[in-house]
Amino acid sequence: MTALGTVFRPQFAPELLRPMAETAEAWELDQLWVWEDCFSESGIASAAAALAWTERVRVGIGLLPVPLRNVALTGMEVATLHRLFPDRVILGVGHGVQGWMGQVGARVSSPLTLLREYLDALRALLRGEEVSVDGTYVKLDKVRLDWPPSDPVKVYAGGIGPKTLRLTAEAADGTLLVADETVDGVRRIREFIDHEIIAPLHVATGPDAVERLRRTSPDVGVAGDAETVAAAVRELVDAGADTVILQPTGDEPDPVGFVRFVAEQVRPLVP
């Protein structure tokens, strides 16, 4: 069965996270995702809170920008979440927005090199291995997590562009796409990626849905009722997506209601 989720966007006030998480839990939605956009909410803090307020829904972090975070710290935080909430955390990492990375003095000259080094080191740390590496960017000297995850952890990587996507195909356990990707784009990506693909989808519903979607993403996405949205989800699944994340607009007037719409009305229409 296709996994279906939605997003707590960084344009939403932090205090909206709890009712959105509790609604996702109550209506048995598969996944709720949080972001770590500069300079909004923390991905790890948001995920920890959402996990603590719920018991079943899986929480995705999409994504942690690797230039901003030492890989050992990410390993420690993710391992802690997995020990506290087994099999409920979905970890995504990626380049981050380069302009934001420049603002905080973390921009690197080769984001691809950093991401590959980071993925290799992070996956090894989460396997409980002792890691020593002297890379261009990632440098660890006999680092081992005291409390690695009890079970294997998948590390997903996000990105756009053929070079990054080919890197995720080689070095990650799954690939997180962007909501601006078209159905044809997902189909082309599926040709060279043989692991799980998570595809976000811009969605707007309600009386002003078309106008809000046009402001957010004039070229891709779907506006309409549950059947219209479900049809767009099925198209992405047919193109090769394993999980579809319905992404509300940043000016969604009722984020909690959007979660309920996805769980109550769209979920039953997606096989």
Side-chain angles (χ1 to χ4, degrees):
M1 183 175 72
T2 303
L4 198 67
T6 189
V7 181
F8 170 78
R9 292 188 58 135
Q11 290 87 357
F12 302 156
E15 52 268 26
L16 280 175
L17 176 58
R18 182 166 191 164
M20 289 182 68
E22 291 177 340
T23 300
E25 176 85 0
W27 288 91
E28 299 186 352
L29 189 61
D30 303 319
Q31 299 177 8
L32 175 69
W33 284 71
V34 298
W35 290 358
E36 186 163 88
D37 270 6
C38 296
F39 301 94
S40 299
E41 296 96 352
S42 156
I44 293 292
S46 297
L51 289 161
W53 290 323
T54 57
E55 296 182 356
R56 183 205 55 82
V57 66
R58 301 188 74 201
V59 176
I61 307 171
L63 44 76
L64 298 177
V66 300
L68 195 61
R69 290 179 162 272
N70 182 279
V71 69
L73 176 62
T74 298
M76 291 162 56
E77 292 185 318
V78 171
T80 300
L81 289 180
H82 273 275
R83 297 285 295 227
L84 293 171
F85 308 100
D87 198 35
R88 293 184 55 209
V89 185
I90 308 170
L91 168 65
V93 299
H95 296 312
V97 176
Q98 296 306 294
W100 290 337
M101 298 303 99
Q103 280 183 270
V104 298
R107 187 167 185 166
V108 299
S109 58
S110 179
L112 283 169
T113 300
L114 170 57
L115 185 57
R116 182 179 291 276
E117 293 179 357
Y118 202 100
L119 284 167
D120 290 345
L122 180 59
R123 293 173 76 197
L125 287 169
L126 294 174
R127 289 193 297 266
E129 299 175 11
E130 181 180 277
V131 182
S132 292
V133 60
D134 185 19
T136 303
Y137 301 107
V138 175
K139 300 180 185 295
L140 299 174
D141 181 14
K142 297 181 180 179
V143 175
R144 185 195 301 270
L145 298 178
D146 288 345
W147 296 100
S150 303
D151 298 307
V153 172
K154 290 183 176 180
V155 178
Y156 295 77
I160 56 176
K163 290 182 179 179
T164 299
L165 290 171
R166 290 194 179 277
L167 171 59
T168 71
E170 298 169 3
D173 298 303
T175 294
L176 174 62
L177 303 181
V178 295
D180 291 330
E181 193 61 73
T182 64
V183 172
D184 287 341
V186 173
R187 188 173 291 110
R188 288 192 297 270
I189 292 165
R190 173 51 80 191
E191 292 177 358
F192 63 88
I193 289 182
D194 61 6
H195 58 211
E196 183 180 353
I197 291 178
I198 300 173
L201 174 66
H202 291 294
V203 173
T205 190
D208 61 345
V210 173
E211 180 182 348
R212 284 191 290 109
L213 182 65
R214 187 179 296 116
R215 288 198 298 265
T216 297
S217 178
D219 299 321
V220 294
V222 59
D225 60 11
E227 180 52 55
T228 303
V229 174
V233 172
R234 293 192 293 267
E235 281 191 304
L236 285 171
V237 173
D238 290 343
D242 301 288
T243 296
V244 180
I245 307 302
L246 304 188
Q247 183 169 301
T249 61
D251 58 355
E252 165 60 50
D254 183 9
V256 177
F258 184 87
V259 176
R260 190 162 50 248
F261 164 75
V262 174
E264 180 185 16
Q265 298 185 44
V266 180
R267 170 75 274 182
L269 302 176
V270 177

